[in-house]
């Protein structure tokens, strides 16, 4: 079957291409007849009509866009572009669509820096606010100082009563054995300190647990009943054992004349957890070392980093010290100041992987008064750090002697000390 158009034959092709042509030429050399189409469009008659074959049997080509001429010019004025080489029509040097492509604008670095800064600040603000409310919610505000009666007038600066209790609440039998705490029921004060913060330096004063004090009239923290004072003298830590933090604050205020603004207490387990969370505390053990089977202390002389278990043994040791409880209070001051210094370092504050565990361990284990806020707690830690760095002063309550196994305070020195603290003056009194 012949696929060529009607009236075409091999003779029409001149035997120049295809089958049996000995002189076949490449397609590019083929001479094409130029075909003209009527200017009226279509195939001479109109749309949809067939045009008769032209001379030589070459059929007319379909018209595009209303007809076109053989030179590529459309009858309706449309230029196909074939004759000029502009195949895609109308486009200029910029390619399809026409026009020259606009250059890409340079980045607006000022705008980018501005929005980056806004984003960073927003993230920091949101994180800070979230951290504040998280930390604030973890404070155990259990002590109500409004129950304390007959309080001294407030002075300048802020006074914190910091108490280390022997509470074993929440500790397993294994933990009690590991930390050498024993299994006594209830809780007693193992250490007591007054921290004064002010504009003339911070002062940390230890109150020996065996200090001789008078129990004044007080209102029971649970019963609400008033107990009249009888002039009864006891060791200071007995006040806490009798009716808890409120009676301890009342007793300290009555025997010193100094108003306590905030109360902070921490137990054995909480103390050890804070030290472990911060990565240990560096302490210098004096010459001769320290060994006490009751507290579990067993340290060689020299500078070393103590973990939670070791730190608790260090601050509880008294029988291995020449000055017994007075020397122990000095070690407690030294250790707490070093701990506060460690907590306040950039390595802890700026490292969320250390900061949040430290805050969590500390806040979970602290018991504070109902008016204590995070800023008050932060001020306390920074003041303890300043004491450790030498900007403040640490001392024991001045002692004049003993009576019935109790340590008697030096009344004249205590009076001067309290007046200086009330007036936020530089402390000149020395302690034991």
């Amino acid at each position: 079957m012949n696929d060529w158009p009607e009236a075409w034959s091999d003779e029409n092709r001149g035997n120049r291409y295809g089958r049996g042509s000995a002189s076949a030429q490449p397609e590019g050399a083929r001479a094409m007849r130029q075909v003209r189409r009527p200017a009226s469009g279509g195939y001479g008659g109109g749309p949809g009509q067939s045009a008769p074959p032209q001379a030589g049997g070459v059929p007319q080509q379909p018209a595009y866009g209303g007809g076109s001429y053989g030179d590529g010019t459309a009858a309706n004025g449309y230029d196909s572009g074939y004759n000029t080489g502009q195949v895609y029509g109308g486009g200029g040097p910029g390619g399809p669509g026409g026009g020259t492509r606009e250059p890409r604008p340079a980045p607006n670095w000022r705008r980018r820096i501005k929005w980056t800064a806004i984003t960073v600040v927003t993230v920091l603000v949101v994180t800070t606010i979230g951290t504040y409310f998280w930390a604030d919610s973890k404070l155990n505000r259990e002590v109500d100082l409004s129950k304390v009666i007959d309080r001294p007038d407030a002075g300048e600066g802020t006074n914190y009563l910091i108490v280390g209790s022997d509470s074993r609440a929440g500790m397993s039998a294994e933990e009690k054995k590991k930390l050498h705490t024993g299994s006594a029921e209830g809780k007693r004060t193992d250490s007591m300190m007054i921290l004064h913060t002010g504009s003339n330096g911070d002062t940390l004063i230890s109150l020996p647990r065996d200090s001789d004090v008078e129990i004044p009239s007080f209102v029971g923290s649970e019963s609400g009943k008033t107990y009249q004072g009888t002039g009864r003298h006891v060791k200071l830590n007995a006040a806490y054992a009798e009716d808890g933090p409120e009676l301890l604050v009342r007793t300290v205020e009555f025997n010193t004349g100094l108003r306590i603004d905030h109360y902070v207490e921490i137990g054995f387990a909480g103390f050890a957890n804070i030290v472990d969370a911060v990565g240990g505390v560096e302490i210098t053990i004096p010459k001769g070392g320290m060994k006490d089977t009751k507290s579990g202390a067993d340290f060689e002389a020299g500078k070393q980093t103590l973990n939670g278990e070791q730190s608790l043994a260090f601050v509880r040791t008294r029988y291995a010290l020449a000055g017994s409880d007075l020397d122990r209070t000095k070690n407690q001051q030294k250790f707490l100041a070093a701990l506060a210094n460690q907590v306040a370092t950039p390595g802890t504050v700026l490292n969320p992987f250390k900061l949040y565990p430290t805050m969590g361990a500390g806040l979970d284990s602290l018991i504070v008064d109902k008016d204590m806020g995070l800023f008050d707690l932060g001020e306390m830690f920074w003041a303890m750090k300043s004491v450790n760095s030498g900007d403040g002063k640490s001392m024991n309550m001045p002692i004049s002697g003993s009576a019935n196994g109790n340590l008697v305070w030096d009344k004249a020195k205590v009076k001067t000390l309290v007046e200086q603290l009330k007036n936020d003056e530089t402390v000149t009194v020395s302690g034991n």
Side-chain angles (χ1 to χ4, degrees):
M1 180 176 180
N2 192 347
D3 292 333
W4 291 94
E6 185 180 355
W8 280 49
S9 66
D10 288 343
E11 286 75 17
N12 294 111
R13 293 180 289 146
N15 291 325
R16 297 177 61 190
Y17 308 103
R19 299 187 302 247
S21 175
S23 61
Q25 298 181 17
E27 186 70 20
R30 181 177 179 179
M32 299 294 292
R33 290 186 179 90
Q34 188 177 34
V35 180
R36 281 194 177 272
R37 300 177 181 82
S40 59
Y43 290 104
Q49 296 183 1
S50 299
Q54 301 297 312
V58 179
Q60 288 187 341
Q61 303 299 310
Y64 298 92
S68 63
Y69 300 107
D71 61 359
T73 302
N76 60 0
Y78 170 76
D79 185 356
S80 67
Y82 281 92
N83 202 42
T84 62
Q86 297 178 3
V87 178
Y88 297 99
T100 303
R101 178 178 294 174
E102 293 294 331
R104 194 173 192 178
N108 189 334
W109 289 109
R110 179 176 296 179
R111 182 182 178 85
R112 291 187 179 185
I113 292 173
K114 172 186 174 182
W115 282 106
T116 299
I118 291 175
T119 301
V120 170
V121 170
T122 301
V123 170
L124 288 176
V125 169
V126 171
T127 302
T128 301
I129 294 175
T131 299
Y132 175 86
F133 284 104
W134 166 78
D136 187 72
S137 67
K138 294 179 76 66
L139 278 177
N140 300 307
R141 296 182 174 93
E142 300 178 6
V143 180
D144 189 357
L145 296 183
S146 67
K147 296 180 180 180
V148 180
I149 61 174
D150 300 332
R151 309 192 68 187
D153 294 333
E156 300 294 327
T158 304
N159 299 311
Y160 298 84
L161 180 59
I162 304 172
V163 174
S165 76
D166 63 0
S167 172
R168 299 156 178 85
M171 295 177 63
S172 65
E174 182 179 351
E175 289 174 325
K176 292 176 183 178
K177 181 178 179 181
K178 178 181 178 182
L179 297 177
H180 300 273
T181 64
S183 300
E185 296 297 326
K187 60 180 183 179
R188 288 148 293 278
T189 51
D190 211 50
S191 62
M192 291 158 285
M193 303 177 189
I194 294 175
L195 174 65
H196 173 83
T197 64
S199 57
N200 286 296
D202 304 311
T203 305
L204 185 63
I205 308 162
S206 285
L207 309 176
R209 58 183 287 178
D210 294 337
S211 297
D212 184 82
V213 294
E214 180 182 339
I215 298 294
S217 300
F218 69 96
V219 175
S221 58
E222 297 295 333
S223 66
K225 180 181 178 181
T226 299
Y227 297 89
Q228 296 295 332
T230 60
R232 175 168 52 103
H233 280 247
V234 297
K235 288 180 170 60
L236 180 58
N237 65 341
Y240 181 94
E242 186 172 330
D243 198 47
E246 287 84 359
L247 178 55
L248 177 62
V249 171
R250 168 74 173 126
T251 302
V252 170
E253 290 185 344
F254 177 81
N255 285 269
T256 62
L258 184 69
R259 186 185 181 98
I260 299 300
D261 298 297
H262 292 294
Y263 178 91
V264 181
E265 177 186 326
I266 186 169
F268 283 161
F271 179 82
N273 289 340
I274 293 176
V275 174
D276 286 335
V278 82
V281 175
E282 188 175 81
I283 286 291
T284 299
I285 304 298
K287 185 177 180 180
M290 181 185 296
K291 189 169 184 177
D292 185 355
T293 57
K294 291 190 175 182
S295 69
D298 188 4
F299 307 120
E300 298 292 335
K303 184 179 293 186
Q304 51 199 284
T305 299
L306 307 184
N307 61 23
E309 177 186 348
Q310 295 168 327
S311 298
L312 186 59
F314 176 80
V315 298
R316 294 184 63 221
T317 296
R318 63 185 297 194
Y319 296 105
L321 305 175
S324 187
D325 197 42
L326 291 177
D327 282 349
R328 178 170 72 164
T329 57
K330 293 177 183 177
N331 282 341
Q332 290 171 346
Q333 290 177 350
K334 180 169 67 173
F335 186 88
L336 289 179
L339 174 60
N341 185 69
Q342 178 69 21
V343 170
T345 59
T348 299
V349 175
L350 300 180
N351 183 355
F353 296 102
K354 183 177 285 189
L355 175 63
Y356 285 98
T358 301
M359 291 179 64
L363 297 174
D364 279 339
S365 56
L366 289 179
I367 296 175
V368 300
D369 65 271
K370 293 183 180 296
D371 295 326
M372 172 74 91
L374 287 178
F375 289 108
D376 300 311
L377 196 61
E379 180 186 43
M380 184 191 79
F381 272 97
W382 283 105
M384 293 182 70
K385 180 182 179 182
S386 74
V387 170
N388 181 68
S389 62
D391 295 332
K393 181 174 183 176
S394 60
M395 57 182 288
N396 279 329
M397 187 65 83
I399 303 297
S400 62
S402 62
N404 301 319
N406 298 345
L407 298 174
V408 178
W409 294 349
D410 187 318
K411 293 183 178 180
K413 287 186 175 182
V414 169
K415 182 178 179 180
T416 301
L417 172 63
V418 170
E419 286 299 319
Q420 291 176 340
L421 294 177
K422 277 188 172 182
N423 298 322
D424 196 23
E425 299 172 351
T426 302
V427 172
T428 59
V429 177
S430 60
N432 296 75

